[in-house]
Amino acid sequence: MRQRRPRSLQWVLVRRLILLQAAILAIFIALCAAALWVANPRLLVDNEAAVAALKDAIDRNSDGTLVVHETEELSQFRKSFPHAWYIVRDRTGQSVRSGAVPDIYTGTPGALLGAVDHATLELARDDLRPEAYVENAPTKAGPVQIIAATRSSREQTDGLEINISATIDVARNPDGSRNWQRALPALALVIAILLLPIVVVMGITTLVTTPAVVRRSFSGLVDTADQAARIDINTRGMQLPVQRVPQEIAPLVQAFNETLARLARGYDRHNRFLTDAAHELRTPIAILRTRAELLKKEPESERLLQDIERLSHLAQQLLDHQLLERPDEERQIVDLGELARQVAADFAPLAIEAGYDLGFEPPAGEVHVEVNGSQIERALANLVRNAIDHGGGSGAITVAVDESGGVEVRDEGPGIPPEERENVFQPFYRLQPQSRGAGLGLNLARQIAGLNDGSIRILSGGWRGARVRMQLPALPS
């Protein structure tokens, strides 16, 4: 079963913001449509287009009478508006009409002006006389016609005036009521045409800006996550900063810090227990060794001494784990060749007693490394002790140091199979369950090397036995 990928917060925000913006625009358009429905506006654009189509079609015959030619533009307009009608009058009273003209418009212009409810009177564009508004309104004095304007000349304008007027005409039934069945599809199309470009523009803007805003807002969280990724057993006391973390994420970071603190306290208690137990074991082990040495030299007493030695070595390795807790400030510059020579000298009696020839190959000159000396000494001791325990009980064990900062411990035993060369670094892992070792030496040595910016690996080659190499960063000479 495939693991489900976690959701991306920024794309969730993008989708939801786009949907929210679309919903807000839809509500806004709906409110505007409701307001227009209540105001009952009328759309005059088509009427203005009718006048524009008629202008080029109006002419006079040879006898001077008015005539309207059926131009291509006028024909196309009639096809678009089959119910269009018009009346063309001149100053002499001549007129030409077409279509089903309402009776109110067939009278004289003066009678028409007296019959309209309200209208806007506009003069020529170059005429400085202002436009005016005319309305036939009922008053206490009875029905009157009011003509008014806000200025007496266009020169009195404030510099720039913008007048926006929109009128919508809804289809009506014969009784004058609105025919919404015919009007709603067209109204929906108009709303979609108006709404879609706005949604697209706002959606693209959101798509571009939201990821940048989210990345900037969560930059502190990214830094905190990078610091969390660097936490390991040696930096368990680290606390993640919450200063640049978003307020909504801060409780999670604080809970994580508290968890780290609890884990550190628990690890310290566990570590102190192991250390105290190892210290307490050393005294009874020493007493037991002393008493075993007083026994007669028999096979059983020899095996008992070996078991006591194994137990003592295990207690020492548990104590060696304390070396891993020492900070990097305890590093110092040491001569790796001299350090390895001292370890080889310390283990020479034990190796000879176990049946080996222990040799040391020094480097051509001094090899200086900046390390925790006591830790590296214990790591080398574990490598040599591992060779003594698993080298087959014969042949030579060699400790070799080179100028690059490498130390090799070689034996002539059965070696380590290639498929087991990583497993042997696991704690308490042993190739032979009945072997004398506890399975901690190589694991401890690798941890120490890592704490000192080095590494340990098992070399491959055609030689006999095993070769374990510890590589440390050598200082330039």
Side-chain angles (χ1 to χ4, degrees):
M1 182 177 180
R2 294 182 59 186
Q3 185 177 3
R4 185 177 179 181
R5 294 181 59 187
R7 293 189 304 170
S8 170
L9 179 59
Q10 82 175 21
W11 296 116
V12 170
L13 290 176
V14 167
R15 290 194 297 269
R16 292 184 178 178
L17 283 175
I18 292 176
L19 291 176
L20 178 62
Q21 291 167 355
I24 292 175
L25 284 175
I27 294 172
F28 175 75
I29 295 296
L31 292 176
C32 290
L36 293 174
W37 177 75
V38 173
N40 191 25
R42 297 181 60 82
L43 186 64
L44 299 179
V45 175
D46 294 339
N47 296 340
E48 295 172 1
V51 173
L54 284 167
K55 286 180 181 179
D56 295 333
I58 299 173
D59 200 356
R60 290 186 183 274
N61 291 328
S62 57
D63 57 0
T65 59
L66 282 175
V67 65
V68 177
H69 298 294
E70 193 67 20
T71 62
E72 182 178 356
E73 183 181 1
L74 184 57
S75 298
Q76 291 295 330
F77 186 82
R78 287 181 183 276
K79 292 179 181 179
S80 301
F81 299 92
H83 302 295
W85 58 269
Y86 60 83
I87 300 176
V88 180
R89 291 191 181 94
D90 63 5
R91 295 183 179 181
T92 64
Q94 292 187 47
S95 65
V96 179
R97 68 182 63 182
S98 175
V101 181
D103 295 338
I104 187 63
Y105 295 102
T106 58
T108 61
L112 174 61
L113 190 59
V116 298
D117 181 65
H118 61 272
T120 299
L121 305 178
E122 294 184 3
L123 302 176
R125 181 174 301 176
D126 297 333
D127 197 326
L128 294 180
R129 290 175 292 179
E131 65 180 21
Y133 182 76
V134 57
E135 181 175 348
N136 292 318
T139 66
K140 294 180 180 180
V144 299
Q145 184 180 77
I146 302 173
I147 301 177
T150 59
R151 57 180 183 265
S152 59
S153 174
R154 292 187 183 181
E155 293 178 341
Q156 296 175 349
T157 182
D158 292 332
L160 177 65
E161 289 187 358
I162 299 176
N163 295 321
I164 300 176
S165 178
T167 305
I168 298 177
D169 190 13
V170 179
R172 294 179 180 272
N173 297 315
D175 60 358
S177 62
R178 295 181 179 88
N179 189 341
W180 289 108
Q181 292 182 350
R182 295 179 57 193
L184 286 179
L187 184 61
L189 179 61
V190 171
I191 292 175
I193 293 174
L194 294 175
L195 184 63
L196 186 60
I198 300 175
V199 172
V200 170
V201 172
M202 296 185 69
I204 293 176
T205 303
T206 302
L207 190 65
V208 172
T209 58
T210 301
V213 172
V214 170
R215 282 195 299 269
R216 183 171 181 179
S217 301
F218 283 83
S219 59
L221 183 60
V222 173
D223 295 339
T224 301
D226 292 338
Q227 294 186 39
R230 293 193 293 269
I231 295 177
D232 56 21
I233 193 65
N234 301 307
T235 57
R236 58 187 179 275
M238 179 186 295
Q239 294 287 290
L240 300 179
V242 296
Q243 291 79 9
R244 297 183 59 204
V245 174
Q247 184 178 1
E248 294 79 7
I249 310 296
L252 177 61
V253 178
Q254 292 171 352
F256 185 78
N257 285 336
E258 294 173 1
T259 302
L260 288 177
R262 290 194 298 270
L263 289 175
R265 290 193 295 269
Y267 180 85
D268 291 339
R269 286 195 300 268
H270 178 71
N271 200 35
R272 283 195 301 271
F273 170 77
L274 291 179
T275 304
D276 293 342
H279 273 292
E280 291 297 326
L281 285 174
R282 296 183 71 180
T283 299
I285 289 174
I287 295 173
L288 188 61
R289 179 188 293 114
T290 302
R291 292 179 177 176
E293 289 174 349
L294 297 177
L295 297 175
K296 290 183 177 181
K297 299 295 183 179
E298 296 179 357
E300 290 296 331
S301 62
E302 291 295 331
R303 283 195 293 270
L304 180 60
L305 284 173
Q306 292 177 359
D307 291 337
I308 293 173
E309 179 63 25
R310 177 181 173 185
L311 185 60
S312 175
H313 181 54
L314 176 60
Q316 181 61 47
Q317 286 183 327
L318 291 176
L319 288 175
D320 288 344
H321 272 278
Q322 278 295 95
L323 294 173
L324 303 180
E325 304 299 318
R326 297 190 179 180
D328 293 342
E329 286 74 8
E330 295 188 7
R331 290 189 181 187
Q332 54 187 344
I333 298 176
V334 299
D335 183 356
L336 185 61
E338 179 60 25
L339 182 65
R341 185 196 65 78
Q342 183 63 45
V343 171
D346 292 342
F347 276 87
L350 183 62
I352 294 173
E353 183 181 355
Y356 299 97
D357 293 329
L358 182 63
F360 175 67
E361 295 181 4
E366 293 185 349
V367 179
H368 293 101
V369 291
E370 187 174 2
V371 295
N372 186 314
S374 58
Q375 288 183 349
I376 298 301
E377 182 180 357
R378 292 311 307 168
L380 284 175
N382 276 281
L383 295 181
V384 176
R385 181 60 182 262
N386 187 75
I388 294 173
D389 290 342
H390 304 287
S394 62
I397 294 177
T398 305
V399 179
V401 182
D402 57 47
E403 290 76 8
S404 66
V407 182
E408 290 186 15
V409 178
R410 310 164 185 165
D411 64 57
E412 297 178 352
I416 301 174
E419 65 273 9
E420 297 284 358
R421 288 177 181 171
E422 281 300 318
N423 296 333
V424 294
F425 288 102
Q426 301 299 320
F428 300 105
Y429 185 88
R430 292 179 292 181
L431 288 178
Q432 299 176 1
Q434 302 301 323
S435 64
R436 295 177 58 191
L440 289 175
L442 290 179
N443 173 263
L444 181 63
R446 172 171 276 191
Q447 291 189 63
I448 291 175
L451 289 176
N452 290 271
D453 303 324
S455 63
I456 289 184
R457 61 191 178 93
I458 299 174
L459 303 180
S460 300
W463 50 76
R464 178 186 174 189
R467 294 190 179 186
V468 183
R469 179 180 179 86
M470 179 169 60
Q471 183 68 47
L472 297 172
L475 298 177
S477 56

